[in-house]
């Protein structure tokens, strides 16, 4: 058995908890939209064809924002195709995922879905095959009240009130050669700057996100951020980060420590942004929108590739997550919260079916993947201020990241209580965690749950959807506060 201890103190404040940390992502990719959130004829479908079972799970997940419509898809998307009478909407080839897009769901349907789910829409504009004029047209259609051609078109299409979308992404992953309309940093930076400038002429209060690197392993990483921000620094609020992780070659130890890389990614982008700000003699700080993150077994996708025959909503990227994935995923959530002083928004990619916490059967059931639970618990219980904790715990050697602590943790605190989120990365031994909470006053552990299983590769399925779920932790002591964390586990400990 391993031993660890940590101290909780409300003076160790990092930043407020940002609700936008708990955002997700809906892209026209695979079955995320069609037979995911939208399936007319499904037994639970509402009058607009949205699956109520998926809406219920989205609310339970605790989603705050949803990024739309992509992703790689947006770089070839014509938003006009997705408005007006559905029967008159054109079918188009989607180059990103080699599929046929029917445009049955577009911006108006998506925003209606957001309202029903109780989430904030976050819109991306196409800066791959399109540019400033089309971004302005979409902004006018969505947000202008009335009295112009495009706002009146929205009203004629059945939406009287403006959508009021405040957060906009200026393109997607344009550093990547796979992206339709791939650009150099300078090319993209100039286009993003002029698009941002024009959009702010319509609404100075918009929140704008410039494209950062599509991963920290890109050969242009760092230089891309610097060049893009040199052009856009005073015009945008955020720069994006994207990162995906998977277990490779049976190296479970490194995989469970992947949040180490996320911490490095965030620190590197912050340092680059602040360097540009200093050179520009600006007092402004650029924050991070970590608007794609997840566990994604990209090697499986590269093995199978995209379909050859341009199907409609083919099954793509439907990773089935196991317990170890959920624990690594929980570590990524801890990293996002720990860096809340600069990470002020994030989007789990994606929401349904496509590397997603929610899975569906066409015409049938919906269920929670293992990764659903850490996200739902963090969204439910993280409130008030993020507190930095410095666990004292044994370390272990990983092939990828070197020496890494066996435990990682972060806490949040408000007037109602304190919640500690912790992962035990040990593959073969529990961790006895002692919690020094004296600075919180006379508090005690009121609830402790753990997500674990004897089989670290156990999964949830439609037939056994509750195999991996948070369960009460029976190994709790109160004086001093102590909790036994099982091996390979995600843990939530609430004090009050």
């Amino acid at each position: 058995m391993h031993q660890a201890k940590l101290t909780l103190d409300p003076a160790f404040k990092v930043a407020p908890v940002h609700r936008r940390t708990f955002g997700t992502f809906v892209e026209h990719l695979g079955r995320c939209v069609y037979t995911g959130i939208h399936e007319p004829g499904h037994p639970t479908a509402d009058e607009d064809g949205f699956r109520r079972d998926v809406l219920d799970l989205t609310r339970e997940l605790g989603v705050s924002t949803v990024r739309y419509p992509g992703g790689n898809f947006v770089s070839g998307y014509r938003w006009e195709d997705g408005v007006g009478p559905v029967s008159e909407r054109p079918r188009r080839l989607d180059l990103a995922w080699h599929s046929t897009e029917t445009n049955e769901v577009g911006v108006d349907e998506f925003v209606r879905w957001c309202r029903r789910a109780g989430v904030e829409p976050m819109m991306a504009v196409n800066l791959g095959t399109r540019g400033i004029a089309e971004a302005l047209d979409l902004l006018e259609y969505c947000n202008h009240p009335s009295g112009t051609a495009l706002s009146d078109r929205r009203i004629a299409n059945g939406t009287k009130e403006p959508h009021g979308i405040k957060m906009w992404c200026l393109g997607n992953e344009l550093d990547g050669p796979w992206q339709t309309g791939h650009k150099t940093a300078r090319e993209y930076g100039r286009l993003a700057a002029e698009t941002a400038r024009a959009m702010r002429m319509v609404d100075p209060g918009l929140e704008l996100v410039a494209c950062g690197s599509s991963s920290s392993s890109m050969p242009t990483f760092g230089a891309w951020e610097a060049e893009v921000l040199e052009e856009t620094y005073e015009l945008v609020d955020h720069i994006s980060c994207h990162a995906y992780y998977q277990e490779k070659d049976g190296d479970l130890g490194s995989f469970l420590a992947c949040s180490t890389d996320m911490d490095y990614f965030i620190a590197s982008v912050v340092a680059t942004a602040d360097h540009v700000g200093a050179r520009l003699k600006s007092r402004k700080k650029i924050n991070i929108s970590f608007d794609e993150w997840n566990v994604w077994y990209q090697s499986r996708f590269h093995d199978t590739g995209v379909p050859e025959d341009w199907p409609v909503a083919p099954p793509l990227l439907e990773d089935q997550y196991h317990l170890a994935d959920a624990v690594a995923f929980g570590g990524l959530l801890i990293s996002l919260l720990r860096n809340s002083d600069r990470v002020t928004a994030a989007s789990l990619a994606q929401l349904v079916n496509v590397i997603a916490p929610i899975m569906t059967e066409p015409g049938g059931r919906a269920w929670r993947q293992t990764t659903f639970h850490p996200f739902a618990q963090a969204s439910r219980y993280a409130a008030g201020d993020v507190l930095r904790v410095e666990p004292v715990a044994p370390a272990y050697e990983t092939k990828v990241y070197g020496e890494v602590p066996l435990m990682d943790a972060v806490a949040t605190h408000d007037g109602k209580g304190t919640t500690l989120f912790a992962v035990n990365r040990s593959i073969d031994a529990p961790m006895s965690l002692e919690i020094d909470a004296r600075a919180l006053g006379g508090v005690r552990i009121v609830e402790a749950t753990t997500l674990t299983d004897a089989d670290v590769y156990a999964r949830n399925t439609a037939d056994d959807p509750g195999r991996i779920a948070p369960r009460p932790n029976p190994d709790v002591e109160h004086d001093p506060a102590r909790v036994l964390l099982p091996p390979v586990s995600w843990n939530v400990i609430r004090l009050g």
Side-chain angles (χ1 to χ4, degrees):
M1 181 186 297
H2 300 294
Q3 305 288 329
K5 58 183 178 181
L6 57 78
T7 298
L8 297 177
D9 190 324
F12 298 166
K13 177 181 173 181
V14 175
V17 174
H18 304 291
R19 287 305 307 159
R20 282 179 173 167
T21 300
F22 305 106
T24 60
F25 180 24
V26 166
E27 181 173 6
H28 287 252
L29 190 180
R31 297 195 309 113
C32 187
V33 175
Y34 306 117
T35 72
I37 66 170
H38 186 262
E39 189 178 357
H42 188 273
T44 70
D46 65 15
E47 64 274 15
D48 287 314
F50 295 123
R51 289 183 57 153
R52 289 189 176 93
D53 56 349
V54 173
L55 278 166
D56 288 342
L57 287 171
T58 301
R59 296 185 195 103
E60 181 186 336
L61 187 62
V63 174
S64 58
T65 62
V66 177
R67 180 170 172 250
Y68 177 86
N72 296 348
F73 173 82
V74 78
S75 291
Y77 183 51
R78 303 178 227 192
W79 69 266
E80 305 94 327
D81 290 347
V83 300
V86 173
S87 62
E88 298 175 13
R89 296 181 188 180
R91 295 163 69 95
R92 301 278 190 190
L93 298 182
D94 167 31
L95 303 184
W97 303 107
H98 216 266
S99 305
T100 297
E101 174 54 50
T102 66
N103 287 299
E104 294 170 62
V105 171
V107 60
D108 293 324
E109 289 85 5
F110 170 70
V111 174
R112 282 202 296 275
W113 179 86
C114 286
R115 303 301 183 228
R116 289 171 197 177
V119 304
E120 176 190 1
M122 176 181 175
M123 188 67 64
V125 300
N126 177 357
L127 294 187
T129 58
R130 307 187 102 183
I132 301 169
E134 294 88 352
L136 289 173
D137 286 349
L138 178 57
L139 176 59
E140 180 184 320
Y141 181 88
C142 288
N143 284 10
H144 195 69
S146 64
T148 66
L150 291 171
S151 60
D152 287 347
R153 185 177 176 187
R154 183 197 69 244
I155 294 169
N157 288 336
T159 305
K160 180 179 180 181
E161 298 300 320
H163 294 318
I165 299 170
K166 299 302 291 183
M167 197 167 187
W168 296 74
C169 301
L170 301 172
N172 175 75
E173 291 188 354
L174 286 153
D175 64 323
W178 58 85
Q179 200 72 207
T180 310
H182 164 57
K183 294 171 174 59
T184 66
R186 195 63 64 186
E187 290 168 340
Y188 168 72
R190 292 294 305 128
L191 177 57
E194 294 310 318
T195 304
R197 197 185 316 276
M199 292 177 75
R200 290 201 186 280
M201 291 178 184
V202 177
D203 183 354
L206 296 177
E207 293 185 53
L208 302 179
V209 183
C211 287
S213 295
S214 50
S215 85
S216 61
S217 63
M218 292 294 288
T220 54
F221 173 60
W224 173 276
E225 281 78 4
E227 289 188 54
V228 167
L229 287 174
E230 284 168 4
E231 300 289 349
T232 63
Y233 199 91
E234 296 297 341
L235 296 165
V236 302
D237 304 283
H238 311 266
I239 190 158
S240 69
C241 292
H242 293 178
Y244 296 99
Y245 302 93
Q246 68 177 83
E247 182 183 348
K248 296 180 179 178
D249 302 320
D251 185 3
L252 181 57
S254 294
F255 175 51
L256 293 173
C258 63
S259 61
T260 303
D261 181 76
M262 180 179 268
D263 285 334
Y264 158 79
F265 194 170
I266 293 167
S268 299
V269 173
V270 166
T272 303
D274 288 351
H275 172 69
V276 173
R279 286 178 52 199
L280 296 174
K281 297 179 173 58
S282 176
R283 294 184 178 274
K284 176 180 177 180
K285 293 293 186 184
I286 296 291
N287 289 319
I288 291 175
S289 174
F290 216 120
D291 49 38
E292 288 189 33
W293 69 273
N294 203 348
V295 173
W296 174 15
Y297 286 82
Q298 290 178 286
S299 57
R300 298 173 188 165
F301 171 65
H302 295 316
D303 290 342
T304 57
V306 295
E308 297 180 357
D309 53 348
W310 303 97
V312 174
L316 287 173
L317 282 55
E318 297 197 3
D319 286 2
Q320 307 294 308
Y321 293 120
H322 48 60
L323 171 68
D325 293 328
V327 174
F329 179 102
L332 298 175
L333 277 167
I334 288 170
S335 175
L336 292 171
L337 285 167
R338 176 167 49 234
N339 289 284
S340 290
D341 56 331
R342 297 302 288 270
V343 178
T344 55
S347 301
L348 167 64
Q350 297 190 12
L351 179 63
V352 189
N353 290 327
V354 177
I355 52 172
I358 300 170
M359 293 298 295
T360 70
E361 295 172 329
R365 298 167 289 183
W367 66 98
R368 304 163 188 83
Q369 290 232 64
T370 60
T371 54
F372 183 100
H373 299 294
F375 190 101
Q377 288 188 301
S379 179
R380 183 178 308 122
Y381 296 125
D385 295 322
V386 178
L387 303 184
R388 182 170 301 282
V389 298
E390 300 291 345
V392 178
Y396 71 113
E397 191 67 26
T398 68
K399 294 178 183 177
V400 177
Y401 306 114
E403 191 174 82
V404 175
L406 278 170
M407 193 192 76
D408 196 13
V410 73
T412 67
H413 172 77
D414 66 5
K416 298 178 182 178
T418 304
T419 302
L420 176 69
F421 305 98
V423 292
N424 181 5
R425 295 167 171 152
S426 174
I427 296 169
D428 53 14
M431 177 88 61
S432 178
L433 172 62
E434 182 178 332
I435 303 168
D436 182 347
R438 287 174 293 179
L440 299 174
V443 302
R444 57 187 282 121
I445 296 172
V446 296
E447 183 183 36
T449 63
T450 188
L451 190 77
T452 192
D453 194 274
D455 178 3
V456 298
Y457 297 112
R459 295 173 167 85
N460 292 339
T461 65
D463 293 327
D464 189 7
R467 167 71 185 267
I468 305 297
R471 305 261 193 304
N473 189 327
D475 297 307
V476 175
E477 299 176 16
H478 294 285
D479 192 15
R482 192 185 302 272
V483 181
L484 191 66
L485 312 181
V488 189
S489 63
W490 157 264
N491 302 272
V492 178
I493 302 156
R494 298 174 61 213
L495 301 95

